[in-house]
Amino acid sequence: MTRSKRVRLSFQTRMILLITSVIIGIISVIGLIFSSIIASSIEEQVGRRALSVAKITANDPELRAAFYAENPSVLIQPIAENVRIQTDAEFVVVGNREGIRYAHPIEDRIGKEMVGGDNDLGLLHGQSYISKAVGSMGPSLRGKVPIKGNDGEVIGIVSVGYLLEDIESAIADYQEKVFLIMGIAVLCGVVGAIALSRYLKRAILGLEPEEIAALYVQRNAVLESVREGIVAIDKTNQITMMNKAALRILELPEDEVQGKQIYEVLPDSRMPEILETGEYQLDRETLIGGKEIIVNRVPIKLSGQVVGVVSSFRAKSEIDQLASELSQARRYADVLRAQTHEFHNLLYTISGLLQLGSIQEAVELITSETSSQQELILFLAKQIPDPLIGALLLGMHNRAKELKIQFMIHHDSRLQELPATINRQQLIVLLGNLLQNALEAVNGVGSSKKVVECYLSDAGEEILFEVEDSGPGVPEELWERVYEYGFSTKEGEQRGIGLSKVRGIVEELGGYILVGKSEWGGALFTVSLPKDWRGNHEEG
C-alpha cells in the first residue's frame, strides 16, 4: 500500500505565487472598476449628446413653423435627416402631440405611431429627458425634448437616439484597451514578484522559513547553554540580544534591557567603537560592578559591511585559574621535553667519549653543561626572581637549545618585584608570544647564525621588554599591519593571532609596542608598560 507524497513548494515559489495572486487580484478589481466607470461614462456622454441634439432640433424655428403647414412631414423630414447626418445619430424622429411621426430615417414609417412608450414626460408634462427603450430600430438610448408652439403649448416631440448595440461596441473597444493594460501590469507584477522573491531569498541566505525558525530555536538554546555572558547590538547601537548569563553577571532584569541603547544599559561600553573601526578586541580585561571580567568584542559583518557587534565575557577569576593551571603544565612539559632531549644527546655523547677512553673530555663536557645550566638558573633567581617569568625564560632557553638557536638574556636584564596593578598572567602571555614568534622566525631561515635575545628592565617608571632576533625581519611597510587580527607574514592557518593579542594586552595595561629592525638583522619588538597604571574600566 503506497502513500502519495505531498509536493512541497520552495519559499521562493510560494512567494512568487502569493505576490502574483495579490497583484492579479488587485489589478482585476481595479480593471473591473475602471471598466465599469468607462461604460457608465460613455453611456452618460452619449445620452447627453442625444439630449443636446434633440434640444437644438426642437428649438429650430423652421421646424416649429412647419407644424402649422398643411403637410408638416414634407418640411420636417429634410430638417430631421440633415440633423441626423451631421450628428451621426442613429435616428432623429419628430412626432406630433398624438405621437404620430412627421420624420423618420425610414420614410415608410412616417405617419405611423412612435414606438417605445416613453413620450408621456415630454408630451404631457413638457419635460426634456434621456431614456432607454426598444423602438422600431431596436434598443436605443434616446434624448427626448418637447416642441412648443407660439403660445407655449406642446405641439410635438423630438427623439434623437443611438442604438445600445453601437454604444456597447464602443465600450468594448475601450475595455479591450483596459484589459491590455491590465495584462501588461500583471506581467510586470510577475516579473517584479520574481525579482522580489529572489531578493528575499538572498536576504535570508537561501533558507526556508522552517529552517530559519529551527535555527532561531537552536541559537537560543546555544546562547542559554553557554556560561559566558553574550550581548549583541545592531548598527544603531540598539541591544538585540542578551543571554541569561550576561543578565546574571551584569545583575540586570530582563525587562530593562531588550530594545534599549547600549549606552543606557552600559554607559562606558566600547562596543560602538567596533561599529566604527570593524576591529576585533580579544581577551580585554575590564571591571563591571566590582567584578573583573575578560571581554571579547567581534564585529558582525554582512557583505563586507559592519552591521552589528557581539560581545562575550566571563569572570576573570575562572579564566585565570584555568590559564594558570594550563600555562604551568605547558611550561613544565616544554622544559621537561627540551631537557630530556638535550640530556639524551648529552648522555649519548658522554657514553661515546667513555667508550673511546676519553675520560677527561667526558668530565669537561659534564662540568661545562652543568655550569652553563646552573649559571642561567642563578642569573634568573637573582635578576628575575618572579617564578613564572623565570620558568618561561628557562623553558624558552631549553626550547631554543633544542632548535639549535642561541637564546640570550641580556646581562643587564633586571626585573624585580612586579607592581600589584600589573597582572603576571598577562605578562606571561605577552612575553611568551613575542619569544615564540622570534624562535619561529629564526628557525625558518637557513642562516648559520640563529640568535634570539631578550632584555627585561624595571628601571624608572616603566617596565621594558625587548625581543630581537636574526630572522628575516618585518618590512617597514608592514609595521602597522602586523598587529591586525589574522594578518601574518608566515604561511599556514591559525596565524596572525599572537601579535594581535599582545597589542590588546599592551593597550589594556596602558603601554605601547613598537616594531623595528634588530642589530642582528631581524625584527625588534619593544614593549613599554607603566608601573602605576590603574586602567580605565570599561564595560560590555
Side-chain angles (χ1 to χ4, degrees), residues 52-61 63-64 79-80 83 92 94 147 158 160:
S52 176
V53 172
K55 286 181 178 180
I56 293 172
T57 305
N59 292 324
D60 186 347
L63 182 70
R64 288 189 295 178
I79 296 174
V83 171
V92 176
V94 180
I147 303 171
V158 175
V160 177

Side-chain angles (χ1 to χ4, degrees), residues 44 70 101 124 130-131 133 177 180 206 214 236 238-239 254 265 293-295 327 335 348 369 405 418 502 506 510 538:
E44 182 180 359
E70 183 177 350
R101 299 187 185 103
L124 300 180
I130 299 172
S131 70
K177 296 178 182 179
L180 177 62
T236 64
Q238 184 176 348
I239 297 175
E254 185 175 359
V265 180
I293 62 173
I294 302 298
V295 182
S327 62
V335 171
Y348 292 148
E369 288 296 326
I405 297 173
L418 292 173
V502 167
V506 170
E538 47 181 320

Side-chain angles (χ1 to χ4, degrees), residues 252-287:
L252 294 171
E254 185 175 359
D255 56 353
E256 293 184 7
V257 172
Q258 293 296 334
K260 287 192 175 182
Q261 295 287 305
I262 187 65
Y263 290 125
E264 298 179 32
V265 180
L266 303 173
D268 298 324
S269 174
R270 296 183 62 181
M271 293 178 70
E273 293 181 14
I274 312 302
L275 287 174
E276 300 294 332
T277 63
E279 295 181 352
Y280 290 74
Q281 293 183 358
L282 304 177
D283 299 330
R284 299 298 180 90
E285 186 175 343
T286 184
L287 190 69

Side-chain angles (χ1 to χ4, degrees), residues 286-489:
T286 184
L287 190 69
I288 298 179
K291 300 178 182 178
E292 291 186 353
I293 62 173
I294 302 298
V295 182
N296 295 306
R297 305 182 187 92
V298 178
I300 303 171
K301 294 184 178 181
L302 182 63
S303 301
Q305 299 295 321
V306 179
V307 297
V309 179
V310 62
S311 173
S312 62
F313 47 92
R314 193 171 182 180
K316 181 176 178 294
S317 58
E318 300 177 11
I319 298 176
D320 284 348
Q321 183 179 357
L322 293 174
S324 177
E325 294 175 358
L326 180 61
S327 62
Q328 290 180 18
R330 189 175 177 182
R331 282 193 298 273
Y332 292 151
D334 288 342
V335 171
L336 290 173
R337 181 172 54 82
Q339 287 181 342
T340 300
H341 187 270
E342 286 300 313
F343 278 113
H344 276 169
N345 292 336
L346 182 60
L347 288 173
Y348 292 148
T349 304
I350 294 172
S351 175
L353 290 173
L354 291 176
Q355 292 178 31
L356 293 173
S358 302
I359 298 175
Q360 183 62 33
E361 286 81 356
V363 171
E364 290 177 356
L365 179 60
I366 294 172
T367 304
S368 173
E369 288 296 326
T370 303
S371 62
S372 174
Q373 189 77 3
Q374 191 64 28
E375 285 178 6
L376 177 60
I377 294 173
L378 290 175
F379 175 81
L380 292 175
K382 180 180 179 181
Q383 297 298 106
I384 307 173
D386 186 276
L388 290 179
I389 297 179
L392 173 66
L393 294 174
L394 182 60
M396 288 296 176
H397 174 270
N398 292 326
R399 176 59 178 162
K401 193 173 182 181
E402 180 184 0
L403 296 173
K404 308 303 180 185
I405 297 173
Q406 184 181 0
F407 181 80
M408 299 186 297
I409 303 175
H410 198 280
H411 60 83
D412 289 334
S413 294
R414 180 180 181 276
L415 189 63
Q416 299 298 319
E417 184 177 354
L418 292 173
T421 56
I422 295 182
N423 187 297
R424 290 194 305 167
Q425 296 290 343
Q426 290 181 309
L427 290 186
I428 294 297
V429 173
L430 187 156
L431 186 58
N433 273 287
L434 292 178
L435 291 173
Q436 186 64 35
N437 282 350
L439 291 176
E440 289 181 1
V442 172
N443 190 46
V445 298
S447 173
S448 59
K449 188 66 173 178
K450 297 183 178 182
V451 180
V452 173
E453 184 174 7
C454 176
Y455 173 71
L456 302 88
S457 173
D458 59 358
E461 300 298 322
E462 295 179 331
I463 294 175
L464 185 67
F465 295 152
E466 287 186 356
V467 176
E468 55 184 322
D469 59 66
S470 61
V474 179
E476 186 173 350
E477 62 271 16
L478 299 179
W479 285 1
E480 292 299 324
R481 293 197 61 195
V482 291
Y483 306 112
E484 293 180 8
Y485 183 85
F487 177 82
S488 176
T489 57

Side-chain angles (χ1 to χ4, degrees), residues 139-155:
S140 59
L141 185 65
R142 313 169 175 205
K144 291 185 176 286
V145 177
I147 303 171
K148 296 182 179 180
N150 297 330
D151 55 0
E153 292 184 359
V154 176
I155 59 176

